[in-house]
Amino acid sequence: VLVYDTSVAERQESAAADVLHRIQAIKGDASLSLEQKVGSLKQIKDPTLSQQVINYIVEIHDDQLLESSKVALQLVVAAMSEKIRPQDLAQVRQSVLSKVPSEFRAPQVIVATEIGRVFILPNLSVDIEETEKNRKQATGSIEPVRLSIAPGETILRDGGIITPVDMEKLEASKLIDRQMQWSAEVLGNIGLSSLFCVGLGIYLIKGHVNTPVTPKRVLLMVVIISTMVFSAKLLLPGRDLLVYLFPFATAPMLIATLWNPFLAVVVSLPLSIMVTYSSTLSPELLTFLSPSPLDPLAKITLYFASSLTGVLMIWQAKKMHQYLAAGVGVGVAGAAIVLVFWLLTPDRYLDRLGWAILGVMSGGFLSAALTVGFVVLLGHIFGITTSFHLMELAHPDHPLLRKLLLESPGTYYHSLIVGNLAEQAADVIGADSLMTRVGAYYHDSGKLLNPGFFIENQRAGENVHDGLDPAISASIIISHVKDGVQLEDQYRLPTRYKILCGSTTARARPYSSIVRPWRTEMMSKPQTLLTRGLLLQARRPP
């Protein structure tokens, strides 16, 4: 429904007359030079005159400009007296050229038409309320179309195109349910996840996991597993090729890096089953989407093998290229599984094999990239010390290490030597060598407050303790432990490093929990004493 607005014509006619009057005034002003007239014409807005029209205005005679102005205003009045729809505007503006007097020269024609057609606008607008009312009436007057499905009638054939009518037939026949029974599916998923978490909890309690079980770490695992299952449910059903690209190995690799590799291996198999279940079940079709009986087994094997490979390759990864190598390993393992199950499938399509291998290789690199990114992010959020954080702390550019080098160089080099010795000792007993080395770097940071009171920073023959009371000397030496705690808090060193390097006393664990007896039973007594002594060196004042 279109409404004719008479005010549009009046408004445009008035605006056109005003602009034409200003043009004539500028043209007829004898006090203005040619350049000034051109500048004044350029300042006119709504409409902005083109350079060609301005040139013709200053060139033609005043009488010719007056005639052109009258014709321009007549063109606007004549056009706006008709009903103009928005879609007809271009055609109406083009038609004004035929209404210019034939005796006009080219400059007059251009001035009259270019100025006149700008003021021609649509004067018909849509009445939204009335239009919507009419549409509803028209829709309500349509009789419904009824279709019957005879017993035994074939609704769809394999390979056919599904139309909206076919979808209605499937719904009427109760073959699909697009409303999706979310309540039953959600309860089923919650039950399956609960059983998985109960089993995992029993393993954590009874399995003697070396890494401590804290609420933060449990929450971290819940976040990783839930995100993986939810992503699979959201992305994978009905998308066969995306199954191969899906970066499933990210979850086990994150657990291995942020918590414990053994735990990551344990999680991989049940998580593979859950993701396969979530990606295969289609509540809309009330069935499982599986092109062949081997398909669920292939998915579980693919996800588990790729996860196991990724965990094994980043077992003690400390550098970026090791994660890149793990991504390659995940892709190669996935490609091998895909090839094996392709050979077991009766219908073997070479192009599908190529796309599948390309997908798993890309998925391996994607898993490695996501692992690196989320290790940094989740480690920061959950307060977990990662190898990347350790490498940052071990870099000589760290502010506390630079301060130690500049103000207490003897202590700095002493700490480097202790770090190298302790790292070798940690390797022998199976401890975290990188963690040990970084802890040794900072173990004497408290000496920064009084560097001259420690022998490694004194010149030969000079010892300030010779002139001090023994009790005061002992107090100064012992206080470097407390001073180290304050400095390390100031520079935000993780608590785990401070415990390792022995700079904290209130929260420090027993020494037996630092030098873990993982492999000491396999070593001779002298070896055990030696390695413990090397690590103990990082805890003792000079």
Side-chain angles (χ1 to χ4, degrees):
V1 178
L2 298 176
V3 180
Y4 177 56
D5 187 356
T6 57
S7 64
V8 177
E10 297 174 358
R11 186 167 56 251
Q12 294 305 107
E13 291 169 10
S14 175
D18 180 62
V19 170
L20 291 170
H21 177 72
R22 291 174 60 191
I23 292 174
Q24 293 174 16
I26 294 172
K27 170 69 173 175
D29 191 347
S31 63
L32 298 177
S33 65
L34 182 62
E35 290 77 10
Q36 290 174 332
K37 291 181 179 180
V38 171
S40 299
L41 291 172
K42 286 183 178 180
Q43 293 178 1
I44 295 177
K45 305 296 181 184
D46 297 327
T48 301
L49 303 176
S50 66
Q51 187 62 46
Q52 183 185 28
V53 172
I54 292 175
N55 292 338
Y56 283 149
I57 289 175
V58 297
E59 288 177 4
I60 61 179
H61 195 270
D62 291 352
D63 294 338
Q64 293 176 328
L65 177 60
L66 180 60
E67 293 175 355
S68 298
S69 301
K70 290 180 180 179
V71 171
L73 187 58
Q74 292 172 2
L75 295 175
V76 174
V77 172
M80 295 300 296
S81 63
E82 303 291 335
K83 295 180 179 180
I84 305 173
R85 299 183 302 174
Q87 57 267 36
D88 298 333
L89 178 61
Q91 181 181 355
V92 173
R93 285 181 172 180
Q94 186 65 28
S95 65
V96 300
L97 187 61
S98 61
K99 300 178 182 179
V100 179
S102 57
E103 65 271 14
F104 269 24
R105 296 173 57 192
Q108 288 181 281
V109 173
I110 293 176
V111 171
T113 56
E114 292 298 321
I115 296 177
R117 66 177 52 172
V118 174
F119 292 96
I120 300 174
L121 294 177
N123 50 23
L124 287 176
S125 58
V126 178
D127 188 334
I128 298 177
E129 293 183 2
E130 194 66 23
T131 300
E132 187 63 27
K133 178 181 176 181
N134 289 354
R135 287 178 177 174
K136 288 182 178 179
Q137 290 177 354
T139 303
S141 64
I142 299 175
E143 292 294 331
V145 179
R146 300 186 181 276
L147 298 177
S148 298
I149 305 173
E153 177 183 343
T154 301
I155 298 178
L156 288 174
R157 296 188 183 277
D158 188 19
I161 298 176
I162 301 178
T163 65
V165 176
D166 294 330
M167 291 297 294
E168 291 189 25
K169 287 182 179 181
L170 293 173
E171 289 181 9
S173 305
K174 305 299 182 183
L175 294 175
I176 66 170
D177 183 6
R178 282 198 285 184
Q179 297 301 318
M180 300 179 65
Q181 302 297 327
W182 282 108
S183 57
E185 188 192 5
V186 168
L187 289 175
N189 277 288
I190 291 175
L192 184 62
S193 302
S194 300
L195 290 174
F196 175 48
C197 292
V198 168
L200 191 59
I202 294 173
Y203 171 78
L204 291 175
I205 295 172
K206 300 293 186 180
H208 304 291
V209 180
N210 291 322
T211 309
V213 180
T214 62
K216 273 191 174 183
R217 290 182 181 272
V218 174
L219 178 61
L220 170 66
M221 178 169 294
V222 171
V223 169
I224 293 175
I225 294 175
S226 302
T227 303
M228 185 58 60
V229 176
F230 177 76
S231 301
K233 182 62 188 172
L234 188 66
L235 300 174
L236 297 186
R239 300 179 176 94
D240 292 341
L241 290 178
L242 192 58
V243 168
Y244 303 106
L245 182 61
F246 188 67
F248 175 84
T250 303
M253 291 167 70
L254 281 173
I255 295 173
T257 304
L258 295 173
W259 196 337
N260 186 282
F262 295 101
L263 186 60
V265 173
V266 172
V267 169
S268 296
L269 182 56
L271 185 58
S272 302
I273 298 173
M274 291 181 63
V275 168
T276 300
Y277 165 79
S278 299
S279 64
T280 306
L281 176 64
S282 175
E284 299 94 334
L285 299 181
L286 306 179
T287 186
F288 286 90
L289 297 173
S290 180
S292 71
L294 283 175
D295 185 60
L297 179 60
K299 289 181 181 178
I300 293 173
T301 308
L302 170 64
Y303 291 148
F304 180 65
S306 60
S307 301
L308 194 59
T309 304
V311 170
L312 291 174
M313 295 192 69
I314 64 164
W315 194 280
Q316 290 183 334
K318 297 179 177 65
K319 297 182 179 179
M320 193 72 68
H321 70 84
Q322 293 174 296
Y323 284 88
L324 179 61
V328 175
V330 168
V332 171
I337 299 299
V338 167
L339 179 60
V340 169
F341 278 92
W342 179 78
L343 294 173
L344 295 174
T345 305
D347 299 327
R348 290 187 287 270
Y349 298 101
L350 195 59
D351 58 340
R352 182 177 179 82
L353 174 64
W355 283 109
I357 291 178
L358 179 62
V360 295
M361 294 298 296
S362 302
F365 284 106
L366 184 58
S367 297
L370 290 175
T371 300
V372 172
F374 280 110
V375 158
V376 177
L377 177 63
L378 295 177
H380 177 73
I381 293 175
F382 289 91
I384 297 175
T385 304
T386 64
S387 58
F388 297 107
H389 195 179
L390 274 172
M391 296 302 293
E392 291 180 4
L393 291 173
H395 200 279
D397 282 342
H398 190 276
L400 187 53
L401 285 183
R402 287 185 62 83
K403 185 178 180 67
L404 196 64
L405 172 63
L406 295 175
E407 299 181 15
S408 184
T411 302
Y412 175 81
Y413 290 108
H414 156 73
S415 299
L416 293 183
I417 294 173
V418 172
N420 291 331
L421 293 173
E423 182 180 32
Q424 297 176 45
D427 284 333
V428 172
I429 65 172
D432 190 334
S433 58
L434 180 59
M435 176 79 70
T436 305
R437 175 161 59 91
V438 174
Y441 284 175
Y442 293 91
H443 82 280
D444 268 346
S445 58
K447 295 180 180 179
L448 272 170
L449 299 185
N450 299 291
F453 284 84
F454 298 91
I455 192 168
E456 66 268 22
N457 300 310
Q458 296 173 355
R459 295 181 181 180
E462 297 180 5
N463 192 337
V464 294
H465 292 282
D466 293 341
L468 294 177
D469 182 86
I472 296 176
S473 295
S475 174
I476 294 173
I477 292 174
I478 295 172
S479 67
H480 88 276
V481 177
K482 181 183 67 174
D483 296 338
V485 173
Q486 295 175 353
L487 273 175
E488 289 155 6
D489 284 337
Q490 178 182 343
Y491 285 88
R492 297 184 178 180
L493 263 69
T495 303
R496 189 176 179 188
Y497 303 154
K498 292 185 286 186
I499 291 173
L500 179 67
C501 67
S503 299
T504 181
T505 54
R507 291 173 290 178
R509 297 172 293 171
Y511 180 69
S512 59
S513 67
I514 297 176
V515 183
R516 299 183 183 276
W518 291 325
R519 291 171 52 186
T520 53
E521 69 277 1
M522 302 172 60
M523 303 162 54
S524 64
K525 187 173 182 180
Q527 286 177 307
T528 304
L529 294 175
L530 173 63
T531 52
R532 289 185 176 178
L534 289 171
L535 287 180
L536 188 59
Q537 177 64 29
R539 293 175 53 84
R540 291 177 175 170

